Amino acid sequence: MENNGNMVSNPTGEFVASRVREARPFIGFAPLFAWHFCFWFAPTSMPFVDLLSHGVTSAWLAYLASSVAVLFGFAGILRNKRRLRLEGRAYALAPMVLCVLSLLFSYGTVVFGEGMQGAVVAVLLGAVESCCFLLWGERLSSLRYSGTSTDAVVAVSAVVAASFAITMILPGIVAPAFVALLPLLSGFALVREGEARTPSSSTVLKPQAVRKRADRNIAAVSAISGIASAACFFLLTIIPAGNLLGGSWAYG
């Protein structure tokens, strides 16, 4: 540290600050990613239902089917010539709708029962969340990112871990409201990113070799995640969550 009059130089602090600035777009995306994990895997996010009940399991499957259908649908409609973020104010509306649907799903069982979740809300959740991921994907793929992949991974992981821990600690009646705020935080960052861009800016595809390498990594991570998720799910269907170490925390 060097002291020159009133000027104090802190190389370590400046280094950390520069890394945070580089990872800022990923920090904005992270609350949306955190919402997915907190909403579906934190027991406190649904205080009025059992996460392993038939209704929630059916809602989860409907949500997944809706997510995949919307992603493939937009891929066919938009192709590589149009951008979802340029279609009206989608980047501002989608996070707000996701917040409302999250609250309705978590608290709605008191009024509607589990049937409402499986029939309508879960399908809408999957569709709207896919729109949010597409909007962030368009933004992140157009970045001239000069940082490292480690910076992005650490930034997203830190936000997800902190959000999940807070969700598990909060009282059951409050936790769903906190989880519902996560898409709003991500949406606020997305709006700022969107208004900072010019309408003519577009996504530039990476070189083919880079895309192929990324596709292989994505396929490997997806396969590992799928196997691990299936193993955890069948474990919990055989052993009641109450008998596991930590009870409901084991599920999270």
Side-chain angles (χ1 to χ4, degrees):
M1 181 179 294
E2 297 179 358
N3 191 345
N4 184 12
N6 294 327
M7 298 297 294
V8 178
S9 176
N10 187 341
T12 302
E14 293 175 359
F15 175 78
V16 172
S18 65
R19 284 288 183 263
V20 171
R21 284 194 298 270
E22 289 290 345
R24 188 187 65 181
F26 296 96
I27 295 174
F29 162 74
L32 176 64
F33 203 50
W35 174 88
H36 175 85
F37 286 97
C38 295
F39 184 81
W40 288 110
F41 301 110
T44 53
S45 68
M46 301 181 194
F48 305 108
V49 295
D50 180 7
L51 281 180
L52 294 178
S53 66
H54 175 73
V56 175
T57 301
S58 300
W60 165 251
L61 295 175
Y63 156 86
L64 291 177
S66 174
S67 299
V68 173
V70 170
L71 287 173
F72 277 105
F74 273 117
I77 294 172
L78 298 175
R79 298 186 181 274
N80 196 38
K81 298 179 180 179
R82 298 167 59 188
R83 298 289 173 262
L84 181 61
R85 68 181 303 113
L86 300 180
E87 302 294 331
R89 302 285 289 183
Y91 63 87
L93 294 176
M96 291 189 290
V97 174
L98 187 59
C99 172
V100 173
L101 290 173
S102 179
L103 291 172
L104 183 60
F105 195 101
S106 297
Y107 295 115
T109 50
V110 179
V111 180
F112 302 108
E114 294 185 13
M116 177 68 177
Q117 294 179 0
V120 179
V121 183
V123 173
L124 294 176
L125 275 171
V128 177
E129 188 193 19
S130 292
C131 291
C132 292
F133 274 114
L134 282 171
L135 290 165
W136 267 113
E138 290 177 355
R139 171 56 185 154
L140 294 177
S141 63
S142 66
L143 286 175
R144 296 181 180 273
Y145 183 58
S146 58
T148 65
S149 58
T150 301
D151 294 335
V153 170
V154 169
V156 174
S157 300
V159 174
V160 172
S163 300
F164 194 89
I166 293 171
T167 304
M168 295 291 285
I169 294 171
L170 286 174
I173 196 68
V174 178
F178 168 76
V179 174
L181 286 176
L182 294 174
L184 284 184
L185 293 176
S186 181
F188 176 74
L190 188 60
V191 168
R192 292 190 64 183
E193 293 285 342
E195 292 181 347
R197 293 184 64 194
T198 58
S200 60
S201 57
S202 60
T203 300
V204 178
L205 291 178
K206 304 297 182 185
Q208 187 175 14
V210 175
R211 285 184 278 132
K212 284 186 176 181
R213 185 169 62 251
D215 289 342
R216 287 195 297 269
N217 293 337
I218 292 171
V221 171
S222 298
I224 295 171
S225 300
I227 294 172
S229 299
C232 291
F233 179 80
F234 285 110
L235 176 65
L236 287 170
T237 58
I238 297 172
I239 303 175
N243 294 340
L244 294 174
L245 181 64
S248 61
W249 282 69
Y251 180 79

